[in-house]
Amino acid sequence: MDHSDEQVRLLAEDGALLEHDTYEVDLSEDGLRDLYRQLVVVRRIDVEGNNLQRQGQLGIWAPCLGQEAAQVGSARALGPEDWVFPSYREHGVIYVRAGMEVLRVLALFRGASLSGWDPQEHHLGLYSIPIGTHALHAVGYAIGAKWDGAELCVAAYFGDGATSEGDTNEAFNFAAVNAAPVVFFCQNNQWAISVPLSKQMAAPVYKRAFGFGFPGVQVDGNDVLAVYAVTKAAADRARDGGGPTLIEAITYRLGAHTTTDDPTRYRTVDELDTWKAREPIGRYRAFLEKAGLFSEELERDVQAEADRVAAEVRAAVEHLPDPPLSDLVDHVYADPPATLRSQWRRFEEFEAQFASEA
Amino acid sequence: MDHSDEQVRLLAEDGALLEHDTYEVDLSEDGLRDLYRQLVVVRRIDVEGNNLQRQGQLGIWAPCLGQEAAQVGSARALGPEDWVFPSYREHGVIYVRAGMEVLRVLALFRGASLSGWDPQEHHLGLYSIPIGTHALHAVGYAIGAKWDGAELCVAAYFGDGATSEGDTNEAFNFAAVNAAPVVFFCQNNQWAISVPLSKQMAAPVYKRAFGFGFPGVQVDGNDVLAVYAVTKAAADRARDGGGPTLIEAITYRLGAHTTTDDPTRYRTVDELDTWKAREPIGRYRAFLEKAGLFSEELERDVQAEADRVAAEVRAAVEHLPDPPLSDLVDHVYADPPATLRSQWRRFEEFEAQFASEA
Amino acid sequence: MAQITMAKALNTALRDAMEADDRVVLLGEDVGTLGGVFRITDGLQKDFGEHRVMDTPLAESGIMGVSIGLALRGYRPVPEMQFDGFSYPALDQVISHLAKYRNRSKGAQAMPVVCRIPYGGGIGAVEHHSESPETLYCHTAGLKVVTPSSAADAYSLLRQSIQDDDPVIFLEPKRRYWAKQEVDLPVATEPIGTAKVLRPGDDLTLVAYGPMVKVALDAADAAQEEGVGSLEVIDLRSLVPLDEETLVASASRTGRMVVVHEAPEFLGMGAEVAARVTEAAFFHLEAPVLRCTGLDIPYPPARLEEAHLPGVDRVLWTVQRTLDF
Amino acid sequence: MAQITMAKALNTALRDAMEADDRVVLLGEDVGTLGGVFRITDGLQKDFGEHRVMDTPLAESGIMGVSIGLALRGYRPVPEMQFDGFSYPALDQVISHLAKYRNRSKGAQAMPVVCRIPYGGGIGAVEHHSESPETLYCHTAGLKVVTPSSAADAYSLLRQSIQDDDPVIFLEPKRRYWAKQEVDLPVATEPIGTAKVLRPGDDLTLVAYGPMVKVALDAADAAQEEGVGSLEVIDLRSLVPLDEETLVASASRTGRMVVVHEAPEFLGMGAEVAARVTEAAFFHLEAPVLRCTGLDIPYPPARLEEAHLPGVDRVLWTVQRTLDF
Ligand SMILES: Cc1ncc(C[n+]2csc(CCOP(=O)(O)OP(=O)(O)O)c2C)c(N)n1
Ligand SMILES: Cc1ncc(C[n+]2csc(CCOP(=O)(O)OP(=O)(O)O)c2C)c(N)n1
Ligand SMILES: [Mg+2]
Ligand SMILES: [Mg+2]
C-alpha cells in the first residue's frame, strides 16, 4: 500500500523541487544545509548502533536506517516548547531534539538503563516499547497543556503496526473529542516485524483520522522537505487550537526490525532494492546540488561531524559502567514500602558474603 | 449529532412510505403485520421488566424502551443460521430470535444466573456487560465460519459509547483485514449513561468504518422498515463474501440507563419530549394504517399476545427458584482442580452445620 | 459530631483536595454531570468546572493513559474506574507504565495518580460489578494499594493518597458507601502503611480490610458473647505498603491468626499475610494462619453471593478450626 | 534417543496437534511467515496454510477476543502472546471472558483456548521482555496455568493443554528454549495437575517451576557436594491445578521447604505454596516455608537482572537460612 497518488511530495525522486499548492518550505539556506548534516549524522549514529551491538557492546539495536527523513524532518518542525512521545526507534528524533542525549538511548539498548532520562528536561517522553500505549500519554499531556493555555503541541511517534492497537485508537478519539494539540506521526515503514501492511490494515493509515473527526495527511516519508512542511503545518494548527492531525509518513525500514531479526525470512530482495533506490539522503543531497547549496566543503564538514559524533558514541558506550546494584530499588518508589526495605536489607546481607569473600 | 440528512429512511415521521434508490422492503403483508406484533410484544416485555424490578422480583433492569425498531428490525433481517452477539440491552433481539428464551435474560437480571444459555442453541452469544469486548467474539466467530465456507453472517450489537473502547476498534480492524462476514450494529441512542455523544466522539459513528476500510451506513433507528432493509443488505453482503458493514442506527433511550439510573440528572425534558414524539411503534402503526394493513382485529390480537407474553414472563420470574449452591462450582471447569474440590468439601462441611441445626 | 457516610467522606476529601491544590483533577465515565454512578463526585463539576472534573469517553485504558500524560504535565489526576470489573482494560497502562514510569526515569519523574475503584460484592449487582482485584495490583511493584473501612479513614487515606508522589490504587468498598460514622471532617488518621488494631484481643488475631472489617468486628463480638474467645481485629488499611510489624506483633502475642477477604483464596492477600507472618512469628504460632475468603470461582450471580462471601458464621467457623488446631 | 531443544519440542507438539485435529489453529503476531520471534511456529504456516497459522494485526486483546470467537465456532485456537510483557493488553478478555465463559453458560460452552506466552528473564532482553505474570493468571478462577521445564514436558503438556476443554495459559520459560534433552517424540509425561519429584532428598524440599527448575537442581547438587544437605526438588509443572498433595507429602517428610521463582515475592506463587503447605503440614515443619524470588521491583535493566533473579548462590543461602532456623 503505497498510495503515491495521495502523498504530499516536495522533492521528486531525482531531487527536483516540486510545487505544492498547500505546503512550502520556510527554511533558510543554512537551515537546508543543516538538515543535510542532521540526516547524515543520524544515519552514522544508527550504523554505530549496529556495530556496537555486533561487538557485544549493546544487547540489541533497533535500526532507523531509511527512516531518517521522516524522523529528522518531523523533529525539525517542532519547537523546544513542544513535546515528543517516542516509540523505540526514534533515535533520529532524539538527536535532533536533544543532541548527544541520544547516548541515553544507547545506554538503554546496552541494558544499562530503562530510559533513565528526565522527560521534563528536553520535553521528551521515555522510550516506549509497549506498542501504541504512549500515544495516550501524548494526548493526556496535550489536554493538560491546553487547559493551562500553553502554546505548544505534542507529537506522538508510532509505526504502522501500532495503528492496530486499541490504545492508539482510544488516543485518536480522546484527542478528537478534546481538540487536543497533538500531532500523531505514523512512520509507515511497510512492516511490523514480519507482518506486511496488507495483513495489518485494510485502508491507508491517514484515513483513520477522518473516522474520528480530524484531518489525516499522507506524506512521502523519504522526502525530508515534505515531511518538515507537513509536520510544521500540523504543529501550527495544533498550537492555534485547531486540534489533532494524523500524519502518515510513507517510508521503509531498510534494516532489520532489530539486530535479532532476519528480514530475509519475510521480504524479497526486489522489494528491498526498490526502496533502497528511494532512500532519503541521496535524494536530499541531489536537491542541494540542484539548488546550488551543496559543496565539497559542506560534505567534508558533515562527514567530519559524523565521524566526531560516531567516535563520541563509541567511546561513551564502551566506557559506560554497569549500573550500581542500588539502581534495583532506589527509584521504584518516592517512599518505598517497609517490606521492600527489609527485602533489600536481606538482599544486602546475601551480597555481603561475596564482598567478604573477595 | 442527529445527521438526519445522512440517515436512510423508508418511513416519514407520519408513517408515509418513502422512496429510496438503494433500499427497499421485501416483506409480505403478513410479515409487515408480524413486525408490528413483535414491536408491541417487545415493548410489553420491557415494561414488565421495569415492573418486576420495582416489585423486587429483579435486581435491576436495562430498559430498551424506544429502541424496539432498531432491535426488531435488525433481528428480523437475520436468519436462524446467522449469529448474534448481544450486549446487555438487546431483549428485543433475543425475543425475535429465540422467543420466550428471553426469560433467560430476566433470570440474569434477577440475579439467578450469569446468562446461563447455550450459545449454540439459538446462535446467540451470552449477554456481554464489559463494553466493546464481545465485538471481537463476533469477529472471531465470523472468521472461523468463513474458513469453514459456512453461508452465514454474524451481527455484533453495541452502543454509541462502545465505539470508544479499544476492543471495538480492534474488532473493526480484524474484520476489515479478514473481510469477515460481520454486521456491526450500533444502536446510537444518544447517551452512554450520562455521557452525551458530543463528549463521546467527534464524528458520526458510521464514518468510523471508512477509516478501517469497509462501508458504514447511518439509518433512522426508529424506522423499523429502514433498519430491516439496511441490515438485510449488510447481512446479504456479508454472506456473499463482501466483508463487514457498520450500521449506525440513530435512536434514543427513552427510559433510564437502568432502573438504578436517574436520567433527570443529565438530560432535559425537552430533549425527551422531542424523542418521545419520534418513538418507533406509533410511526409504524401509522404506516400500517396508511397501507391499509391495520385493523382493529390486528390490534386486538397483538394486544392479546402481548398480555399473554407479559403474564408468562411475570409468572415465570415470580416462580423462578434460587439456584442451588452447587451452581457456585459446578460449571467453572470441565475438570476442576483438586484444590477447588477440597475447598468445596470444606465449604460443604461448613454448610452442613446449618443443615443439622435446622 | 456529625453522622457521615463513607460516600460523603470521599466526596468531601475530593472537594478539599481540589480546593487545596488546583492541579488535582478528576476524570472518568459519568463523574461529571452525574457525579458518578455512586455519586462520589457529586457536585464537583458544578463547582470546579468541566476540566477539573472531566467526563471522558468510554475507554478505561484511555482514561489511565491520559492520566499518566496529565501527571507528566504536572497535574495530580484522580481517575475513576466505574467498577472493579471494568478496571481490567486499564491493566496494561497500570502495569507497563503507571507502576514503572518513575523507575524508568531513574526517579526523575513522579507519577502522582490516584486510581479510584469501587470494589467488592454484597450489593446484589449483576456480573462484573462485584470483583476484588487487589491481588493484581498488590503484585505489581511500583504501586501502592489502599483501602479504607470507615468514613474517617476514607477521608484521610484519600487525602494522603492524592498527596502521595507514588501511584495509588484506591479501592473503595462499595458495600460500605452508605455506612455512617460519627466524625468531623477534615480528619487525619494514621499514615498509609500502618495497620490499625480496631479491637484488642488475646486468643486469636482476625485480619481484614475494606468491606470485611465490619464482618470481622461482628465476628469478634459474637465470639466474645458465645465465649469462643477474645479476638483481636486488625484493619490493614493499606495492602501495599503492608504493615508487617503490626501483624507479626499481634500474631506473636495471640499465637493464632485468620485472614478474611472477599477475593478468591488462591493467591489472595491471605496467602501473603500467612507466608510473611509465619516466617516472622514461626515459633509463636500455635496453629497455621488460616484463610476465610471467597471461593476460587468467578464471582457468582447475586442470589448466590451471600454463600460465596465470608460472613460472620464462616469467620467464626474458621476461627474455631484455628482454635481447635 | 535424540537431543531435542524445548523449542523444537514445542514446535513438534503444535505440528502433531494440528495433524491430529484440524480444528487446532494458531494465531498471533509474526507466527506465520516468520515462524514466531522464537521460531516456535517455524514451518507450520508453510505446511498447514494461512488460516491454520494466522499472522494477525498487532493487537493482543484482539487476538484473545478473536480466539474466544473461534472457540465458539468449534475451533481449538492456540493464540500466542509474543512476550510476557505484551500479554497485558489481553488481560480483560482473559479475565472477563476466557476464564468465565463456561461458567456463564452453565457449563454448556467449552473454551478450549491455549494461550502460549514466552515468559521470564535471564536472556539479557530490553524492558517488557522478561516478566513473570503467572500470579495474574493463577488468581483468576476458570483458568489453568501450565509451565514446563524440560523438552519432554514441553511437548506433552502442550499436547495435553490443547486437548483440554478448559482455557490454559501456557507459560514457556524462554531462557530454556534452547536447552537440549534426550527424548524421543511423541512422548507422554504425567498429566496436568501433577507435580514431579525430580530429585529425592531428605533434609529440605526445593519447589520450583519453569525457568527456575534448572537452578533448583543445580543448587541441590551443590548442596550435596558442599555437604549442606540432601535436597528434594519438586517441579510444579502446573500452577493451576496445583498438586498440593505432592507438596505436603514432601514437606511433611523433609520438614523444610523453600520456594523459588523469578516473579516478585509479594503475592508470588511462593506465598500460596507457603500458606497451603503450612496449613496442611503445620506440625511437621521445623522451619517456616521460605521464598527465594525476584525482588519486589519492576524487572530491572539487563545488566542488573542476574542480581534480581534467584541463582544457585541465593537459593543455597535461603536453604541455609531454613536449615539454621
Ligand atoms: C503491545 C506490544 N505487543 C507486541 C510487541 C512486540 N513488537 C515489538 S515491535 C513490533 C512491531 C511494531 O511494528 P510498527 O508499529 O510498524 O513499528 P516498527 O517496528 O515498524 O517501527 C512488535 C509486534 C510490543 N513491543 N508491544
Ligand atoms: C468496560 C466497561 N466499562 C464501563 C462499564 C459501565 N457501563 C455500563 S453501560 C455503560 C454505558 C454504555 O453506553 P452505550 O455503549 O452507548 O450503550 P447503551 O447503554 O447506551 O445502550 C457504561 C459506562 C461497562 N459495562 N464496561
Ligand atoms: Mg512498521
Ligand atoms: Mg448509548
Side-chain angles (χ1 to χ4, degrees):
Chain A
M1 251 189 309
D2 176 322
H3 320 285
S4 21
D5 50 322
E6 301 154 347
Q7 289 174 38
V8 174
R9 270 225 180 88
L10 294 181
L11 289 180
E13 304 231 329
D14 67 357
L17 194 62
L18 305 169
E19 281 297 307
H20 196 287
D21 37 26
T22 324
Y23 300 101
E24 49 164 30
V25 179
D26 59 5
L27 289 169
S28 69
E29 295 198 342
D30 284 351
L32 290 168
R33 289 198 196 84
D34 194 52
L35 213 46
Y36 180 64
R37 179 187 63 81
Q38 293 178 309
L39 288 167
V40 172
V41 171
V42 165
R43 178 164 295 182
R44 183 69 69 86
I45 292 170
D46 189 58
V47 169
E48 212 47 48
N50 283 312
N51 297 339
L52 286 162
Q53 194 278 334
R54 218 177 296 103
Q55 294 150 21
Q57 291 290 334
L58 300 182
I60 191 174
W61 182 250
C64 61
L65 185 72
Q67 302 179 213
E68 298 90 351
Q71 296 194 10
V72 172
S74 56
R76 269 298 283 266
L78 302 170
E81 73 287 1
D82 298 325
W83 269 66
V84 163
F85 285 84
S87 186
Y88 46 80
R89 200 187 294 284
E90 276 67 67
H91 326 315
V93 176
I94 311 299
Y95 175 71
V96 171
R97 274 192 83 74
M100 292 316 290
E101 284 292 303
V102 73
L103 289 172
R104 306 283 195 125
V105 168
L106 283 110
L108 184 161
F109 285 106
R110 181 178 170 91
S113 88
L114 306 168
S115 283
W117 61 80
D118 178 353
Q120 308 294 333
E121 195 176 337
H122 298 276
H123 295 180
L124 192 58
L126 303 179
Y127 256 26
S128 182
I129 292 175
I131 303 293
T133 54
H134 58 289
L136 282 163
H137 309 162
V139 173
Y141 189 97
I143 290 172
K146 187 182 176 184
W147 289 341
D148 299 341
E151 274 225 350
L152 60 83
C153 77
V154 181
Y157 284 82
F158 52 85
D160 44 290
T163 63
S164 297
E165 285 283 3
D167 275 11
T168 308
N169 292 281
E170 292 187 10
F172 291 157
N173 192 49
F174 268 84
V177 168
N178 293 282
V182 181
V183 177
F184 293 107
F185 194 88
C186 177
Q187 290 172 78
N188 178 349
N189 63 5
Q190 313 304 314
W191 292 91
I193 305 186
S194 73
V195 180
L197 233 40
S198 58
K199 288 183 175 169
Q200 194 68 247
M201 62 193 73
V205 170
Y206 75 97
K207 291 193 176 168
R208 187 77 57 90
F210 308 146
F212 285 95
F214 60 94
V217 52
Q218 190 179 63
V219 60
D220 181 340
N222 288 358
D223 172 347
V224 67
L225 294 184
V227 171
Y228 171 83
V230 166
T231 310
K232 192 146 200 316
D236 291 341
R237 211 179 134 266
R239 289 192 213 90
D240 300 347
T245 303
L246 170 57
I247 297 174
E248 177 186 15
I250 301 292
T251 181
Y252 193 82
R253 165 166 57 78
L254 286 174
H257 171 68
T258 67
T259 44
T260 62
D261 175 44
D262 172 11
T264 64
R265 290 177 66 101
Y266 53 80
R267 64 188 190 186
T268 66
V269 176
D270 287 2
E271 178 179 308
L272 191 59
D273 291 344
T274 316
W275 283 95
K276 270 184 184 156
R278 297 186 193 151
E279 79 69 36
I281 300 186
R283 194 201 299 193
Y284 188 60
R285 177 182 158 144
F287 156 75
L288 289 179
E289 286 167 351
K290 285 191 206 312
L293 296 170
F294 187 79
S295 68
E296 284 316 321
E297 184 201 1
L298 173 67
E299 184 65 20
R300 241 184 288 102
D301 296 351
V302 166
Q303 293 302 334
E305 166 86 355
D307 295 341
R308 202 185 54 64
V309 169
E312 188 177 339
V313 165
R314 159 171 305 279
V317 169
E318 285 170 349
H319 295 100
L320 195 68
D322 279 353
L325 280 184
S326 57
D327 266 15
L328 285 165
V329 285
D330 281 358
H331 312 301
V332 180
Y333 291 89
D335 166 26
T339 53
L340 178 54
R341 293 183 200 269
S342 53
Q343 184 184 62
W344 184 246
R345 273 195 302 276
R346 177 157 291 152
F347 179 80
E348 286 183 317
E349 278 171 42
F350 163 68
E351 287 293 329
Q353 305 178 94
F354 304 104
S356 54
E357 280 168 18
Chain B
M1 252 190 302
D2 178 320
H3 318 285
S4 18
D5 50 322
E6 301 155 345
Q7 289 171 41
V8 174
R9 269 226 181 88
L10 294 180
L11 290 180
E13 304 233 329
D14 67 356
L17 192 63
L18 305 170
E19 282 297 305
H20 196 288
D21 37 26
T22 323
Y23 299 100
E24 49 164 27
V25 180
D26 60 4
L27 290 168
S28 68
E29 295 198 343
D30 283 353
L32 290 168
R33 289 197 198 87
D34 193 49
L35 212 48
Y36 181 63
R37 179 186 63 80
Q38 292 176 312
L39 288 167
V40 172
V41 171
V42 165
R43 179 164 296 182
R44 184 71 69 85
I45 292 168
D46 189 57
V47 169
E48 211 49 46
N50 283 314
N51 296 339
L52 287 162
Q53 193 279 335
R54 216 175 297 104
Q55 293 149 23
Q57 290 291 333
L58 301 181
I60 190 172
W61 182 249
C64 60
L65 185 71
Q67 301 178 217
E68 299 89 350
Q71 296 194 9
V72 172
S74 57
R76 268 298 282 271
L78 302 170
E81 71 287 0
D82 298 325
W83 269 66
V84 162
F85 285 83
S87 184
Y88 47 80
R89 199 187 295 283
E90 276 67 68
H91 326 314
V93 176
I94 311 299
Y95 175 71
V96 170
R97 274 194 83 74
M100 293 316 290
E101 283 292 303
V102 71
L103 289 171
R104 307 282 197 124
V105 168
L106 283 110
L108 183 161
F109 285 107
R110 182 180 171 88
S113 89
L114 305 168
S115 281
W117 61 79
D118 177 352
Q120 307 295 333
E121 196 177 338
H122 298 277
H123 296 178
L124 193 57
L126 302 180
Y127 255 24
S128 181
I129 292 175
I131 303 293
T133 53
H134 58 290
L136 283 163
H137 309 162
V139 173
Y141 190 97
I143 290 172
K146 187 183 177 186
W147 288 341
D148 299 342
E151 274 224 349
L152 59 79
C153 77
V154 181
Y157 285 82
F158 51 86
D160 43 289
T163 63
S164 297
E165 286 283 4
D167 276 12
T168 308
N169 292 281
E170 291 187 12
F172 290 157
N173 192 49
F174 268 82
V177 168
N178 292 281
V182 181
V183 177
F184 293 106
F185 194 88
C186 177
Q187 291 172 76
N188 178 349
N189 63 7
Q190 313 303 314
W191 292 91
I193 306 186
S194 72
V195 179
L197 278 187
S198 57
K199 288 182 175 171
Q200 195 68 249
M201 62 192 74
V205 169
Y206 74 97
K207 291 192 175 167
R208 187 77 57 89
F210 309 146
F212 286 95
F214 60 94
V217 52
Q218 191 180 59
V219 59
D220 180 342
N222 289 357
D223 172 347
V224 68
L225 294 183
V227 170
Y228 171 83
V230 166
T231 308
K232 192 143 200 317
D236 291 342
R237 211 178 136 268
R239 288 193 214 90
D240 301 348
T245 304
L246 170 57
I247 298 173
E248 176 187 15
I250 301 292
T251 180
Y252 193 82
R253 165 168 56 78
L254 287 174
H257 171 70
T258 66
T259 44
T260 63
D261 175 44
D262 171 12
T264 63
R265 289 178 68 103
Y266 53 80
R267 65 188 189 187
T268 65
V269 177
D270 287 1
E271 177 180 309
L272 192 59
D273 292 342
T274 316
W275 282 96
K276 272 187 184 151
R278 297 187 193 149
E279 74 76 31
I281 301 186
R283 193 201 299 193
Y284 188 59
R285 178 184 158 142
F287 155 75
L288 290 178
E289 286 167 351
K290 286 192 211 298
L293 295 170
F294 187 79
S295 68
E296 282 319 316
E297 187 201 359
L298 173 68
E299 184 67 19
R300 239 182 291 105
D301 297 351
V302 166
Q303 293 304 334
E305 167 85 356
D307 294 342
R308 200 185 56 61
V309 170
E312 189 176 339
V313 164
R314 160 171 303 279
V317 169
E318 285 171 351
H319 294 100
L320 195 70
D322 279 353
L325 280 184
S326 57
D327 267 16
L328 286 165
V329 287
D330 282 357
H331 311 302
V332 179
Y333 291 90
D335 166 27
T339 53
L340 178 54
R341 292 182 202 269
S342 53
Q343 184 185 62
W344 184 246
R345 273 193 304 275
R346 177 158 288 152
F347 180 80
E348 285 183 317
E349 277 171 43
F350 162 68
E351 286 292 329
Q353 307 177 93
F354 304 102
S356 54
E357 279 169 17
Chain C
M1 294 247 279
Q3 282 282 340
I4 290 184
T5 63
M6 178 182 284
K8 179 63 183 169
L10 291 165
N11 177 267
T12 308
L14 291 171
R15 174 178 294 280
D16 293 353
M18 292 177 80
E19 264 160 14
D21 180 352
D22 62 14
R23 305 303 281 177
V24 175
V25 293
L26 316 185
L27 64 159
E29 296 150 8
D30 306 290
V31 298
T33 324
L34 185 63
V37 292
F38 289 108
R39 307 295 186 262
I40 304 303
T41 55
D42 192 18
L44 299 178
Q45 187 182 63
K46 193 173 102 302
D47 297 346
F48 292 95
E50 288 224 340
H51 95 244
R52 298 284 307 275
V53 185
M54 175 163 101
D55 278 319
T56 66
L58 210 176
E60 292 74 17
S61 192
I63 291 165
M64 185 52 60
V66 162
S67 296
I68 290 167
L70 286 168
L72 282 159
R73 176 65 195 176
Y75 281 89
R76 304 185 83 85
V78 185
E80 172 182 293
M81 299 284 127
Q82 197 163 75
F83 282 89
D84 35 59
F86 310 132
S87 65
Y88 304 137
L91 279 172
D92 184 42
Q93 285 288 344
V94 170
I95 297 170
S96 299
H97 290 295
L98 183 68
K100 293 176 170 159
Y101 218 96
R102 163 183 290 273
N103 191 53
R104 302 179 64 236
S105 70
K106 285 224 174 104
Q109 180 63 56
M111 263 302 136
V113 175
V114 178
C115 179
R116 293 183 41 248
I117 310 177
Y119 83 117
I123 62 163
V126 288
E127 210 180 356
H128 310 290
H129 292 73
S130 306
E131 315 236 321
S132 297
E134 56 267 31
T135 282
L136 309 187
Y137 298 109
C138 292
H139 184 60
T140 302
L143 301 176
K144 292 180 179 174
V145 183
V146 174
T147 181
S149 68
S150 69
D153 259 356
Y155 179 93
S156 181
L157 289 173
L158 184 50
R159 288 300 304 273
Q160 292 180 49
S161 298
I162 293 172
Q163 274 152 32
D164 203 299
D165 275 345
D166 293 315
V168 177
I169 305 298
F170 194 85
L171 299 170
E172 303 173 356
K174 66 174 87 82
R175 73 153 94 172
R176 304 292 300 156
Y177 272 152
W178 311 118
K180 288 205 165 102
Q181 181 187 13
E182 282 271 322
V183 57
D184 284 328
L185 301 182
V187 61
T189 62
E190 298 75 3
I192 290 174
T194 37
K196 198 159 159 187
V197 177
L198 295 183
R199 185 188 200 286
D202 307 320
D203 303 332
L204 180 146
T205 306
L206 273 182
V207 177
Y209 54 90
M212 283 291 112
V213 169
K214 169 104 174 35
V215 174
L217 286 168
D218 293 348
D221 291 343
Q224 199 75 58
E225 286 161 23
E226 298 169 19
V228 173
S230 141
L231 309 191
E232 179 150 300
V233 176
I234 293 181
D235 177 358
L236 290 179
R237 299 176 71 248
S238 80
L239 309 183
V240 178
L242 181 68
D243 184 354
E244 182 173 334
E245 203 180 322
T246 299
L247 291 169
V248 170
S250 177
S252 302
R253 199 162 42 69
T254 63
R256 291 184 162 87
M257 179 175 276
V258 170
V259 187
V260 186
H261 54 69
E262 291 190 13
E265 177 176 40
F266 200 98
L267 279 169
M269 272 305 289
E272 184 60 36
V273 170
R276 273 180 195 276
V277 168
T278 306
E279 174 172 350
F282 189 67
F283 294 113
H284 300 285
L285 291 180
E286 287 154 41
V289 175
L290 295 193
R291 300 175 279 175
C292 182
T293 70
L295 301 168
D296 291 328
I297 60 171
Y299 200 86
R303 297 270 168 158
L304 291 176
E305 71 180 341
E306 205 184 314
H308 170 67
L309 297 171
V312 169
D313 289 338
R314 189 136 64 92
V315 170
L316 286 174
W317 189 71
T318 314
V319 164
Q320 197 56 61
R321 279 183 52 228
T322 314
L323 295 171
D324 298 347
F325 219 90
Chain D
M1 296 244 280
Q3 282 279 344
I4 291 184
T5 62
M6 179 182 285
K8 179 63 182 170
L10 291 165
N11 177 268
T12 308
L14 291 171
R15 174 178 294 279
D16 293 355
M18 292 176 81
E19 263 158 14
D21 180 352
D22 61 14
R23 306 302 281 176
V24 175
V25 294
L26 316 185
L27 64 160
E29 295 151 8
D30 307 289
V31 296
T33 325
L34 185 64
V37 293
F38 289 108
R39 307 294 185 260
I40 303 304
T41 55
D42 193 18
L44 299 177
Q45 185 180 65
K46 192 171 102 309
D47 298 347
F48 292 94
E50 287 222 342
H51 93 245
R52 298 285 307 277
V53 185
M54 180 167 126
D55 277 320
T56 66
L58 210 176
E60 292 72 18
S61 191
I63 291 166
M64 185 51 59
V66 162
S67 296
I68 291 167
L70 285 167
L72 283 160
R73 176 64 195 177
Y75 281 91
R76 303 185 83 84
V78 185
E80 173 182 292
M81 299 284 127
Q82 196 162 76
F83 282 90
D84 35 58
F86 311 134
S87 65
Y88 304 136
L91 279 172
D92 183 42
Q93 285 287 343
V94 170
I95 297 171
S96 299
H97 290 294
L98 184 68
K100 293 179 169 146
Y101 218 96
R102 164 183 289 274
N103 192 52
R104 302 179 64 237
S105 71
K106 284 221 174 100
Q109 180 63 58
M111 260 307 137
V113 175
V114 179
C115 179
R116 292 184 40 248
I117 310 177
Y119 83 117
I123 63 165
V126 288
E127 208 181 357
H128 309 289
H129 292 72
S130 306
E131 314 235 322
S132 297
E134 55 267 31
T135 283
L136 310 187
Y137 298 109
C138 293
H139 183 62
T140 303
L143 301 175
K144 292 178 179 175
V145 183
V146 173
T147 181
S149 68
S150 70
D153 258 356
Y155 179 92
S156 181
L157 289 173
L158 184 50
R159 289 300 303 273
Q160 292 181 49
S161 297
I162 293 172
Q163 274 151 35
D164 203 300
D165 276 344
D166 292 315
V168 176
I169 304 298
F170 194 85
L171 299 170
E172 303 174 356
K174 65 174 85 87
R175 71 152 96 172
R176 303 294 298 155
Y177 272 151
W178 313 118
K180 288 207 167 100
Q181 182 187 12
E182 284 269 323
V183 55
D184 285 328
L185 301 181
V187 62
T189 62
E190 297 74 3
I192 290 174
T194 37
K196 199 156 152 189
V197 177
L198 296 183
R199 184 186 201 288
D202 306 321
D203 303 334
L204 180 147
T205 307
L206 273 182
V207 178
Y209 54 90
M212 283 292 111
V213 170
K214 171 97 171 42
V215 174
L217 287 168
D218 293 348
D221 292 343
Q224 198 75 59
E225 287 161 22
E226 298 168 23
V228 173
S230 145
L231 309 192
E232 179 148 303
V233 176
I234 293 181
D235 177 359
L236 290 178
R237 300 176 73 248
S238 81
L239 310 183
V240 178
L242 182 68
D243 185 355
E244 181 173 333
E245 206 180 320
T246 299
L247 291 169
V248 171
S250 177
S252 302
R253 201 162 42 69
T254 64
R256 292 184 159 86
M257 180 175 275
V258 170
V259 188
V260 186
H261 55 69
E262 291 191 13
E265 178 176 39
F266 200 97
L267 279 170
M269 271 305 290
E272 184 61 35
V273 169
R276 270 179 199 278
V277 168
T278 306
E279 174 172 349
F282 189 66
F283 294 114
H284 301 285
L285 290 179
E286 288 155 40
V289 176
L290 295 193
R291 299 175 280 174
C292 182
T293 71
L295 300 168
D296 291 327
I297 60 171
Y299 201 86
R303 297 271 168 157
L304 289 176
E305 71 181 342
E306 205 185 315
H308 170 67
L309 297 170
V312 169
D313 289 336
R314 188 136 62 93
V315 171
L316 286 175
W317 188 71
T318 313
V319 165
Q320 197 57 58
R321 279 182 52 226
T322 314
L323 294 171
D324 297 346
F325 221 88

